[in-house]
């Protein structure tokens, strides 16, 4: 309907505005002068290295056909359901490995289970889409399985690199993900009460911008040498690559 199309286009414009502001989907909240002096970022800070080091990967990810169609409201409910399934397996594994390594010095300051963890929210979404027997209805796709295996490997052997996947996923969910929530709700005619998009609802984050600032500050305070920081940036680019493979897989399914 015309009015709905207009709303989706407004959401797409909001995405473009976000991207133009920083070229990645994380927009900082304005700070006063004293705060800026106290929290002045250095080029060697992990947050800055990640911001600069993943720009190209981020641009590639947002230009996949799946993401472009999604942002324009051109997504089928079955495809959205499959994407939610892939997210469920990804976050279940990520949060299991985060839990395993919550006391590791290279990750512990970023342990925010109440604020960030998505598994329970995804379980609610899957129950909404597939019914009470949803666990019997879903399976992990090939692309999602590759992603899961990589996260599992890191959690067991290189837990400091989990930072890359947590940062890429959760900060994106708190940023551009909030636009995707509105697009999905309108394009798929989902209930206004939030069923089906609980994944995007962070009940324990009252101010997303301030929380993202806190998260980055905690990241920058991690006691890491430059070699480890560079490995984390490289792994963040791998996280984007895994996500793009999931997007491409979903796009092929949608066109089949």
């Amino acid at each position: 309907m015309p009015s709905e199309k207009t709303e989706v286009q407004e959401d797409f414009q909001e995405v473009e505005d976000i991207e133009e502001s920083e070229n990645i989907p994380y927009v900082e909240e304005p700070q006063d002068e004293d705060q800026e002096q106290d929290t002045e970022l250095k080029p060697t800070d992990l947050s800055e290295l990640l911001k600069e080091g993943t720009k190209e990967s981020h641009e590639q990810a947002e230009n996949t056909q799946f993401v472009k169609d999604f942002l324009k409201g051109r997504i089928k409910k079955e495809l959205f359901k499959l994407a939610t399934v892939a997210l469920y397996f990804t976050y279940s594994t990520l949060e299991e490995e985060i839990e395993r390594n919550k006391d590791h010095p290279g990750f512990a300051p970023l342990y925010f289970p109440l604020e960030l963890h998505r598994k329970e929210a995804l379980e609610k979404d899957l129950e909404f889409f597939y019914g009470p027997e949803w666990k019997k209805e879903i399976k992990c796709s090939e692309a999602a399985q590759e992603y899961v295996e990589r996260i599992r490997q890191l959690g067991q052997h290189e837990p400091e690199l989990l930072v890359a996947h947590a940062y890429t996923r959760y900060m994106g969910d708190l940023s551009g993900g909030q636009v995707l929530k509105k697009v999905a709700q309108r394009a798929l005619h989902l209930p206004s009460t939030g069923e089906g998009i609980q994944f995007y609802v962070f009940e324990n984050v009252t101010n997303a911008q301030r929380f993202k600032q806190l998260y980055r500050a905690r990241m920058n305070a991690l006691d890491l040498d430059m070699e480890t920081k560079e490995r984390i940036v490289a792994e963040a680019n791998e996280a984007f690559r895994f996500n793009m493979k999931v997007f491409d897989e979903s796009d092929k399914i949608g066109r089949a």
Side-chain angles (χ1 to χ4, degrees):
M1 296 189 299
S3 60
E4 181 179 275
K5 182 178 179 183
T6 301
E7 288 174 336
V8 171
Q9 288 175 335
E10 287 174 357
D11 287 339
F12 186 48
Q13 182 61 51
E14 185 176 342
V15 175
E16 290 179 327
D17 292 342
I18 289 173
E19 290 164 359
E20 288 172 4
S21 70
E22 205 180 36
N23 206 27
I24 58 172
Y26 315 138
V27 183
E28 298 291 355
E29 184 178 81
Q31 294 178 313
D32 62 39
E33 211 168 290
D34 292 335
Q35 267 187 307
E36 287 182 348
Q37 290 174 356
D38 291 341
T39 61
E40 186 175 351
L41 295 172
K42 302 184 292 293
T44 54
D45 283 340
L46 183 55
S47 67
E48 292 299 286
L49 292 170
L50 281 164
K51 174 183 170 180
E52 294 301 318
T54 61
K55 274 186 177 180
E56 185 176 344
S57 292
H58 179 264
E59 289 171 4
Q60 290 173 355
E62 69 187 14
N63 279 295
T64 59
Q65 196 61 47
F66 176 79
V67 173
K68 288 194 291 187
D69 286 346
F70 193 153
L71 288 170
K72 293 177 182 176
R74 296 199 296 258
I75 185 167
K76 300 173 183 175
K77 183 172 283 190
E78 282 304 311
L79 198 54
F80 186 76
K81 288 165 63 175
L82 290 175
T84 303
V85 170
L87 288 171
Y88 169 74
F89 284 108
T90 301
Y91 280 87
S92 294
T93 304
L94 177 59
E95 287 162 11
E96 183 179 330
E97 295 306 323
I98 286 174
E99 196 65 33
R100 184 203 306 271
N101 292 284
K102 63 183 180 182
D103 296 321
H104 188 284
F107 191 87
L110 302 178
Y111 182 63
F112 290 100
L114 292 178
E115 292 84 356
L116 294 178
H117 285 194
R118 300 288 84 205
K119 182 182 177 182
E120 286 186 15
L122 285 161
E123 288 174 345
K124 292 177 184 177
D125 289 339
L126 291 172
E127 183 170 0
F128 171 76
F129 287 125
Y130 291 96
E133 299 295 311
W134 61 270
K135 286 188 178 179
K136 298 178 181 178
E137 301 288 328
I138 67 171
K139 65 177 182 179
C140 190
S141 70
E142 185 177 332
Q145 186 61 39
E146 288 183 29
Y147 198 176
V148 162
E149 288 173 1
R150 178 58 178 170
I151 293 170
R152 184 87 65 204
Q153 178 188 12
L154 296 179
Q156 295 176 358
H157 303 290
E158 298 176 279
E160 65 277 8
L161 298 188
L162 287 175
V163 173
H165 292 272
Y167 170 83
T168 302
R169 290 294 343 168
Y170 293 124
M171 295 299 98
D173 298 334
L174 284 167
S175 302
Q178 298 307 298
V179 178
L180 297 180
K181 175 179 73 172
K182 292 191 287 185
V183 173
Q185 193 169 39
R186 290 167 177 165
L188 301 176
H189 308 289
L190 296 173
S192 60
T193 45
E195 286 91 339
I197 51 170
Q198 286 300 298
F199 168 71
Y200 299 105
V201 177
F202 290 80
E203 292 182 348
N204 295 312
V205 176
T206 56
N207 185 311
Q209 304 299 349
R210 287 179 182 170
F211 184 83
K212 286 184 288 183
Q213 289 176 347
L214 168 65
Y215 197 89
R216 289 191 184 88
R218 291 280 188 94
M219 261 195 337
N220 292 337
L222 291 172
D223 187 15
L224 305 171
D225 58 27
M226 183 54 69
E227 189 267 341
T228 303
K229 291 179 182 180
E230 289 172 351
R231 286 168 57 222
I232 290 172
V233 172
E235 188 62 34
N237 282 300
E238 284 297 293
F240 274 105
R241 186 179 67 82
F242 281 116
N243 278 292
M244 284 187 277
K245 290 186 76 170
V246 173
F247 295 156
D248 289 341
E249 181 183 64
S250 299
D251 187 54
K252 288 175 185 175
I253 292 171
R255 295 176 188 279

